[in-house]
């Protein structure tokens, strides 16, 4: 490296350290809103309506963090990002948190300067095909052309699955899920592969959803959750415990409708939830941060049902996303 290069690197580092001199919580408070990176539009997870109002299970993660840190779940600016743009946007400080159906992997967790705060949806990769092909199993797909979104874990999973089963395929890649769907509908490929929840979400956007079928195989683990930058443990804890508060609220039977009436509950666990600052002073939040989340956003089960579950167009079963006490694997440490 030349002397000029060293000077430029030092200057870049100094600018970077200056930019992140304040904590993320302080920056969010000073700005008065939270910058949330979301998808470019995926029903059930993060998508805007005709008036630009965002909804989805990933959207509600950011709303819960805004309720906790600002006391107002509406104080969120949603920034749509492609799969290839998302990590750079977080690393550069363009967004405060990435909540965009992102799989937690060791490579992403250890080499990108980022931290995963938890899992808000346990998913797995699947395949969607046209019914007219008569395909009943993914093992019948040798020689197929496959539509896939670039910059995702699905590319590697696809290669591993076909190699393991001695099958061949041709990958047709696109930058966004919208482009991927259009490619599938126009006949550019025989198969569309993605996380299975996304396949159900994308199917309802087809002109003829009934002509598409999701095959039974799930070929990978895809734990999806919010991501923040490394180096700010307080903000990581706020992201993590905002999710945990929603899961704990469901366990405790706290909902949007009954949160107010439960403020004077004699249940010790509910009392700790309502005055959560007493058990988490290092978060730097107001005493009622957990109450604000359940009052303004709802508990985890409520969010799941209205965004991707029975109360939504997707009607996805809770499956493994049920609470641990109901036979699922959703589990949060206690607020104590």
């Amino acid at each position: 490296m030349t002397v000029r290069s060293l000077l430029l690197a030092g200057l870049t580092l100094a600018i970077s350290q200056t930019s992140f001199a304040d904590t993320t919580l302080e920056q969010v408070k000073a700005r008065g809103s939270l910058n949330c990176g979301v998808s470019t539009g995926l029903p059930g997870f993060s998508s805007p309506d005709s008036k630009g109002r965002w909804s989805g299970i990933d959207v509600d993660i950011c709303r819960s963090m805004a309720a906790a840190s600002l006391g107002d779940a509406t104080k969120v600016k949603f920034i749509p990002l492609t799969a290839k743009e998302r990590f750079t946007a977080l690393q550069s400080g363009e967004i405060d948190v990435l909540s965009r159906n992102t799989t937690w992997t060791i490579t992403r967790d250890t080499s990108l300067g980022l931290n995963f705060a938890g899992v808000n949806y346990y998913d797995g990769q699947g395949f969607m095909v046209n019914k007219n092909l008569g395909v009943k199993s993914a093992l019948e797909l040798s020689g197929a052309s496959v539509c896939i979104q670039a910059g995702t874990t699905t590319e590697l999973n696809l290669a591993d699955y076909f190699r393991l089963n001695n099958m061949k395929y041709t990958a047709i890649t696109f930058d966004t899920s919208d482009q991927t769907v259009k490619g599938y509908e126009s006949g550019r490929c025989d198969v569309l592969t993605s996380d299975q929840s996304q396949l159900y979400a994308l199917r309802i956007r087809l002109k003829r959803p009934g002509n598409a079928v999701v095959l039974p195989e799930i070929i990978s683990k895809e734990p999806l959750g919010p991501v923040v930058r490394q180096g700010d443990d307080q903000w990581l804890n706020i992201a993590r415990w905002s999710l945990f508060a929603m899961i704990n609220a469901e366990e405790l039977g706290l909902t949007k409708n009954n949160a107010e009436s439960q403020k004077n509950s004699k249940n010790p666990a509910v009392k700790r939830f309502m005055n959560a600052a007493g058990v988490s002073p290092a978060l730097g939040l107001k005493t009622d941060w957990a109450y604000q989340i359940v009052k303004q956003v709802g508990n985890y089960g409520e969010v799941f049902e209205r965004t991707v579950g029975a109360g939504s167009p997707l009607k996805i079963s809770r499956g493994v996303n049920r609470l641990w006490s109901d036979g699922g694997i959703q589990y949060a440490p206690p607020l104590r």
Side-chain angles (χ1 to χ4, degrees):
M1 180 179 288
T2 65
V3 172
R4 175 181 170 78
S5 298
L6 283 169
L7 289 173
L8 287 173
L11 178 60
T12 301
L13 178 61
I15 292 173
S16 175
Q17 289 174 335
T18 300
S19 300
F20 299 116
D22 297 332
T23 68
T24 307
L25 178 60
E26 290 169 339
Q27 293 171 13
V28 168
K29 286 183 173 178
R31 193 188 306 128
S33 66
L34 184 151
N35 290 337
C36 173
V38 291
S39 73
T40 53
L42 183 64
F45 286 81
S46 50
S47 62
D49 64 14
S50 59
K51 296 183 179 179
R53 293 175 299 204
W54 287 82
S55 64
I57 193 169
D58 289 339
V59 164
D60 282 343
I61 287 292
C62 290
R63 291 206 169 110
S64 72
M65 293 178 65
S69 57
L70 298 170
D72 189 340
T74 68
K75 300 295 185 183
V76 183
K77 179 182 179 183
F78 294 104
I79 300 172
L81 301 164
T82 67
K84 289 193 293 187
E85 295 169 336
R86 56 185 163 178
F87 298 126
T88 302
L90 184 57
Q91 291 161 337
S92 68
E94 180 184 356
I95 56 175
D96 303 308
V97 57
L98 175 68
S99 188
R100 187 199 176 285
N101 52 293
T102 298
T103 302
W104 189 347
T105 70
I106 186 172
T107 303
R108 291 171 174 175
D109 199 22
T110 61
S111 63
L112 299 180
L114 309 175
N115 279 324
F116 283 77
V119 178
N120 70 325
Y121 192 98
Y122 289 96
D123 211 339
Q125 184 174 339
F127 300 93
M128 182 167 69
V129 300
N130 191 302
K131 279 183 178 177
N132 293 335
L133 293 177
V135 174
K136 303 297 182 185
S137 166
L139 295 173
E140 301 171 31
L141 295 176
S142 185
S145 55
V146 184
C147 283
I148 189 169
Q149 191 174 343
T152 64
T153 54
T154 53
E155 289 182 282
L156 181 58
N157 295 333
L158 181 69
D160 287 350
Y161 182 77
F162 273 70
R163 186 182 302 115
L164 181 66
N165 290 288
N166 296 314
M167 301 191 303
K168 295 182 178 179
Y169 71 99
T170 301
I172 312 293
T173 58
F174 301 88
D175 286 336
T176 68
S177 60
D178 188 53
Q179 293 170 354
T180 310
V181 170
K182 289 179 179 175
Y184 172 80
E185 275 200 302
S186 66
R188 294 277 307 279
C189 54
D190 306 307
V191 186
L192 194 159
T193 186
S194 187
D195 294 349
Q196 198 171 67
S197 64
Q198 291 191 44
L199 295 180
Y200 287 110
L202 296 174
R203 187 168 64 172
I204 65 175
R205 291 166 55 180
L206 299 176
K207 294 177 181 175
R208 296 182 179 83
N211 287 354
V213 59
V214 177
L215 300 178
E217 287 90 350
I218 292 178
I219 66 169
S220 69
K221 293 185 295 184
E222 306 292 337
L224 313 178
V227 195
V228 296
R229 283 182 295 278
Q230 283 183 358
D232 188 342
D233 287 351
Q234 180 192 44
W235 189 244
L236 170 63
N237 286 332
I238 289 172
R240 175 176 291 157
W241 283 95
S242 293
L243 171 61
F244 288 165
M246 288 196 288
I247 298 172
N248 274 304
E250 185 179 8
E251 283 192 45
L252 293 170
L254 299 173
T255 68
K256 286 186 73 172
N257 289 334
N258 73 13
E260 183 69 28
S261 64
Q262 292 296 308
K263 269 188 164 181
N264 296 317
S265 170
K266 297 188 183 305
N267 181 329
V270 174
K271 290 176 70 173
R272 283 193 293 271
F273 189 98
M274 295 299 178
N275 186 22
V279 292
S280 53
L283 287 179
L285 303 176
K286 291 184 177 180
T287 58
D288 63 348
W289 65 268
Y291 161 79
Q292 293 296 341
I293 289 174
V294 69
K295 178 64 179 176
Q296 298 185 43
V297 183
N299 69 41
Y300 178 79
E302 291 179 289
V303 170
F304 189 100
E305 292 305 310
R306 73 168 178 254
T307 56
V308 297
S312 75
L314 276 64
K315 301 191 182 308
I316 298 175
S317 167
R318 280 287 290 267
V320 296
N321 288 290
R322 296 191 303 272
L323 294 181
W324 66 279
S325 52
D326 293 331
I329 59 175
Q330 270 295 6
Y331 185 96
L335 275 74
R336 64 180 310 144

